[in-house]
């Protein structure tokens, strides 16, 4: 039986210091800050600094970016971040450049709709520290993630990769235990599933999500 203590939750799309503190108090292991203007959860560097400063040591502060240019990388270099999440079309060479430039661990998002989409993990595993397995956005979507969509979890059940992975896409307090049981993941990413409005986190939902994740982590993970 898996130890539920090793289930780690990332609360993404934080826009206010108070919400970040509430996420950490609820037990979040990661907090995510979005630097992508089309997202309703996007923030600027000054707000990011306020939020990051409110997060106690030991909680991983993640910047979510989409095909970042060098100017954005320079802006991020001045912030107290712990990890970069790449959610665009960055190829492995660009990933390596970003990792070298910022000197931070990289998590690469992989959009999934069908089994062949997971082939991308093998291409990125040599140059990243983690992968985020998320639902592919619907046609015409303006954002590569954060669309509150799930995908067929059987596609990742029993899968093992050379780097740690995190499950994202449409997770809520109501389905997180099932997600853990069906996929065997030990890391979860949630944003809209713990909000009362886009970018505004709900303290009770965050508490409920993490409590459900810990309870669900008592279910034997698929092997």
């Amino acid at each position: 039986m898996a130890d539920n203590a090793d289930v780690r939750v990332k609360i993404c799309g934080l826009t206010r210091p108070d919400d970040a503190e509430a996420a950490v108090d609820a037990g979040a292991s990661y907090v995510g800050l979005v630097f992508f203007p089309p997202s309703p959860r996007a923030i600027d560097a000054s707000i990011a600094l306020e939020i990051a400063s409110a997060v106690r040591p030991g909680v991983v502060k993640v910047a979510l970016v989409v095909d970042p240019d060098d100017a954005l990388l320079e802006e991020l270099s001045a912030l107290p971040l712990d990890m970069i999440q790449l959610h665009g079309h960055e190829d492995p060479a660009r990933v390596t450049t970003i990792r070298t430039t910022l000197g931070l661990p990289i998590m690469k998002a992989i959009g999934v709709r069908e089994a062949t989409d997971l082939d991308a993990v093998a291409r990125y595993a040599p140059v990243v520290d983690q992968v985020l397995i998320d639902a592919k956005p619907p046609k015409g979507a303006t954002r590569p993630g954060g669309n509150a969509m799930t995908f067929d979890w059987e596609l990742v059940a029993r899968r093992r990769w050379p780097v740690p992975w995190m499950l994202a896409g449409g997770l809520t307090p109501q389905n997180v235990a099932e997600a853990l049981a069906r996929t065997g993941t030990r890391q979860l990413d949630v944003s809209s599933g713990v909000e009362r409005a886009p970018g505004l986190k709900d303290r009770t939902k965050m508490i409920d999500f993490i409590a459900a994740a810990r309870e669900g982590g008592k279910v034997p993970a698929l092997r």
Side-chain angles (χ1 to χ4, degrees), residues 14-18 20-21 31-35 43-56 61-63 75-81:
L14 293 159
T15 62
R16 304 185 305 176
D18 287 351
E21 290 182 8
V31 293
L33 312 175
V34 177
F35 295 84
I43 57 175
D44 61 24
S46 63
I47 297 298
L49 181 58
E50 286 185 40
I51 295 172
S53 299
V55 176
R56 62 174 174 255
K61 299 177 289 294
V62 184
E75 193 173 6
L76 295 178
S77 70
L79 296 174
L81 300 168

Side-chain angles (χ1 to χ4, degrees), residues 7 11 22 53 75-76 81 106 109 117 125 155 160 166 172 179 185 212:
V7 175
I11 304 290
S53 299
E75 193 173 6
L76 295 178
L81 300 168
I106 300 293
D117 293 324
L155 295 176
R160 294 294 179 269
M166 183 178 289
T172 68
T185 187

Side-chain angles (χ1 to χ4, degrees), residues 8-95:
R8 307 182 75 200
V9 172
K10 174 171 170 273
I11 304 290
C12 197
L14 293 159
T15 62
R16 304 185 305 176
D18 287 351
D19 288 348
E21 290 182 8
V24 173
D25 288 344
S29 299
Y30 303 79
V31 293
L33 312 175
V34 177
F35 295 84
F36 184 59
S39 171
R41 303 169 185 93
I43 57 175
D44 61 24
S46 63
I47 297 298
L49 181 58
E50 286 185 40
I51 295 172
S53 299
V55 176
R56 62 174 174 255
V59 177
V60 181
K61 299 177 289 294
V62 184
L64 186 159
V65 293
V66 179
D67 299 309
D69 58 18
D70 290 346
L72 179 54
L73 296 184
E74 183 174 356
E75 193 173 6
L76 295 178
S77 70
L79 296 174
L81 300 168
D82 302 305
M83 179 176 285
I84 304 297
Q85 178 179 324
L86 300 176
H87 226 300
H89 296 93
E90 307 89 359
D91 61 21
R94 180 60 175 164
V95 172

